[in-house]
Amino acid sequence: MTLDRFINKSRKPKMDRDLEKKPIASTQIQEELLEDSIREQPKIEEKRIDEIPIEAEDGIYMLVSANYSSSDNKPYLLFYDIKNHRIIKWMDVTDHHPYAYSKEPIESLESLPLIVERMNKQQILGLRTEEKIDPLSDKKIQVTKIIVRDPLIIGGRADSLREQIKLWEADIKYYVNYIMDLGLEVGSYYFFDPQGLPRRYIFQPSKEIRKAMEKLSDEERKWLERLAEPVVDFKRIALDIEVYNPRGVMPQPDNPEHPIFIISLCSSDGLKKVLVYDLRGDISNEGIKNDKFDVEVFKNEIELIKRALDIIREYPILITFNGDTFDLPYILTRSAKLGFKEVRDFIERGRNEIRITWGIHIDLYKFFKNVSIKTYAFSGAYDIISLDSIARALINKGKMETPGHFDEMSIQEIIEYGFTDAELTLELTQFNNNLVMRLITIIARISNMTIDDVTRLSVSNWIRNRMFYLHRNKNYLIPRSDEIREKKWGRHFQPVTKGKKYVGALVIDPKPGVHFNVIVVDFASLYPSILKEYNISYETVNCPHDECKTNLVPETTTWICTKKKGLISEFAGIIRDIRVNVFKKLSKDKNVSRDNREFYGVIQRALKVIINALYGVIGADTFQFYYLPAAEAVTAYGRYVIKKAIEKAGELGLEVIYGDTDSLFIKDPDMDKLELLIEDIKKEYRLQLEIDKIYKYAVLSSRKKNYFGLTSEGIIDIKGLMGKKSNTPPFIRNVFYEILDKLRTVEDIEQFKMVRKDIIEIIRDAETKLINKEVPLEELVITITLSKYTDQYTKTTPQHVKAARKLEKAFGIRLQPGHMIKIVKTRNNDGVAPIELVRSVDQIDSKKYIELLHSTLEQILEVLDIKVNKGKKVVMIDERKVSLDKFFKF
DNA sequence: AACTGTGGCTTGCTTG
DNA sequence: CAAGCAAGCCACAGTT
């Protein structure tokens, strides 16, 4: 099988490099050799094309990925051909080589036996002095660039250079360096000049983007231009395999003893196909006909796999759900076992991923598992990372219900089941006008990271990657994380909570009760704004200049640089500004076409993911530019400005009844005074306060982070209350929501009184059902995540762990961290059991559930003067308490 | 020796 | 990332 579509645009080097044959005697010669090979990086030029529709242009490619080829000993780039919808592999023609930096001068490096030995072995190609700026000392320094033959000489092996001498920039993946050195931007478009070098091709921005650009700085304009470029509708195919495994045995890629018997395929250009290996020889053509997709039957497993490869090779992008850990490795190992060795020409194992040789493989499982994607891009719409749960949440479709094992299903059912998986996988990349593919591309543009990495790595890696580039642009030597940590810390506060590293946000004590007409104002993206406005970055906090030491962060001994703009601060500023000032506005602008509006919405969302994570990563020790004093400075300013805002509100006669981190709840304010407050904060602190929402009424409990309210749009907004939490039983949660639903209609006291009777009725009814054991088991399930292996709970044994251990014992299995345990409160010795082991409702501990019902409802009822009598099984109104009337005296 | 009450601590989930 | 909540575990002290 040949891959004729696989165009390799690289040119053969003119001659076999002399450099690699002769031993290198002195740096003098190396200098000369390096002169033409490394020093001259190509300058990538730009070309502007006016208003050309994206599909029409020939020879235009989007840079989507890169890697290092150890067989060619060269880096390569992968481009998506937007006309012919295939991937072009472009091998380096610039004689670029891997490198890292040392702070030792050339002479002392040359006297090191290690270096001499590696030079003689041709592993080190050359040493060169360069001038860089050290961001930590803010001084120009001389560093030695060590240029090597292949990336493993720098790092990745036990005897690599970085394990033996102190190096800088030695943990940047080689292809990342390569992209940066060539000045390339992932997700942007290129064409190839006559020399075969990629040149930037810039689409003419839309009218509204051009208009927005007028007011911006050059740097911001570049960002805008890059982000707003159209995203091609990638041609892609989703794949899903079924393995015929005996009951109770999970197929393992490391031991592929069971046959692959179904391969389902579903593509963006309408291919719908299920390939079946007739392993029992009993499939009739009649029985498998289906009007939704084609079916092909094979008498041989290898033929099945080969056919699948033939089809998917027509697609530049392969989409899977768990393809990195299951489908593709299984195809690999199973093929090898069956003697189909050529499979390695198409599917390759990477370090943490599986690659396809003709294109890009995206494993959606990893992408949707990404915490930032889950919480910020999709607002936590799905909770379990499974195809079924994600598809249900995002496209309102689930997997097929099955009896549990293939033996109990007809072949038609199995085929349909398999196809549904492939179909859902594809649809997850298609809904909302290809939202997911666009999101991935935009994040690649923001982070300048390859599509493969964007879909597999976390937000701190995305940010780190862009930070590298920002350092390079300023000729900064990228600091090692240990250097940043060794900087002065000078911390003065003990965190409030044990186990935390620094002090966080301020939460104001709520004023309990029912409050009418509450306006919530909040600081528009407070932490990013603080990062920007107060110049916070790892190098500017506690900077080396004496003259900055008086620029103190309020209530700390930390100071901030007044001479140089910090990199993180600058990045936060740009991302925040273009999000707020451009994309958020345009995504709501009625004068913009619907398509564009939607696209700007995606960009806005991607920027939000990054901006929300920025502060967090500074305080996370897994981040290369982690620096606690910087994270602490952010929260210190945050506490400072919210205190000042409350102070000012008080002076103006506004009543603040609650606030959390960046928000203030103001009761029935005079709008002119509110306006004054906002103006004052803007003037004084360069931060924007804005009206977030208005509650017709807000019900605050005495607990922080626990309240609900009826918004001006007529929606009941619930925060923190137990009834909302995922680990309350559905039965209790439903009662909770039923009560809140009653409250939705309330506008005055009479209605409140009427509703109160209804509420008590609801609760009594619920109690009766519990006592009479009329509630089905599933309604009483409490779902709790197992966050460790059961044997790793050493300090205490929580209830869900007890239940989990029973499950493990009963089924002889080992539950994985992240598994959701479904427990039920029972009347046995330790009060819990996994629902799987409970036969009937009789085993339920009704008393426990009534207690749980009461404590859940108490949070809302205490404020409404409905008393729950603990112990007793009845609810009563505490008539002695003042009635609701007090809330209406205004 | 069995029971009850208390407080520190762990765990999981949510808010911002 | 920290703050904050509820539930439950667990050791300990003080009854009965």
Side-chain angles (χ1 to χ4, degrees), chain A residues 242 262 264 274 289-293 295 400 409-423:
Chain A
E242 310 299 330
I262 305 235
S264 311
V274 178
K289 279 216 174 110
N290 191 301
D291 31 346
K292 275 198 287 183
F293 47 83
V295 182
M400 258 174 66
M409 296 161 75
S410 70
I411 190 72
Q412 294 98 309
E413 282 176 325
I414 301 175
I415 290 170
E416 262 185 56
Y417 173 79
F419 179 75
T420 311
D421 277 10
E423 191 180 35

Side-chain angles (χ1 to χ4, degrees), chain A residues 46 48 62 183-190 200-203 205 209 213 218-231 441-442 444-448 466 469-470 473 571 574-575 578 583 599 603:
Chain A
E46 296 179 351
R48 284 170 182 276
M62 183 197 275
L184 301 171
E185 294 283 350
V186 181
S188 292
Y189 294 94
Y190 291 87
R200 181 75 189 284
Y201 176 105
I202 296 172
F203 284 90
I209 292 289
M213 279 178 178
D218 283 356
E219 183 65 17
E220 288 175 321
R221 216 172 285 154
K222 274 190 190 163
W223 272 96
L224 220 61
E225 191 171 70
R226 205 165 52 219
L227 293 183
E229 274 190 312
V231 174
T441 311
I442 301 297
R445 287 176 184 171
I446 297 171
S447 60
N448 202 26
R466 176 53 73 181
Y469 215 164
L470 299 178
N473 289 344
F571 182 51
I574 289 178
I575 298 295
I578 58 174
F583 292 110
F599 183 44
I603 299 176

Side-chain angles (χ1 to χ4, degrees), chain A residues 829-880:
Chain A
N829 44 354
D830 42 30
V832 277
I835 187 164
E836 290 86 347
L837 300 180
V838 177
R839 288 285 154 93
S840 102
V841 229
D842 295 337
Q843 290 166 260
I844 292 299
D845 186 347
S846 301
K847 218 177 125 190
K848 260 271 162 255
Y849 278 97
I850 288 173
E851 274 172 37
L852 205 56
L853 176 76
H854 286 173
S855 59
T856 303
L857 300 182
E858 200 186 2
Q859 293 187 342
I860 44 176
L861 299 188
E862 66 178 12
V863 199
L864 302 178
D865 284 350
I866 298 175
K867 258 269 188 276
V868 175
N869 268 21
K870 284 191 178 167
K872 285 192 186 173
K873 292 164 196 147
V874 232
V875 170
M876 9 194 313
I877 300 173
D878 188 346
E879 297 294 354
R880 290 162 303 171

Side-chain angles (χ1 to χ4, degrees), chain A residues 608-626:
Chain A
K608 181 178 160 193
V609 171
I610 303 288
I611 202 74
N612 278 328
L614 247 180
Y615 148 73
V617 299
I618 299 172
D621 60 9
T622 47
F623 181 55
Q624 175 153 4
F625 306 104
Y626 159 82

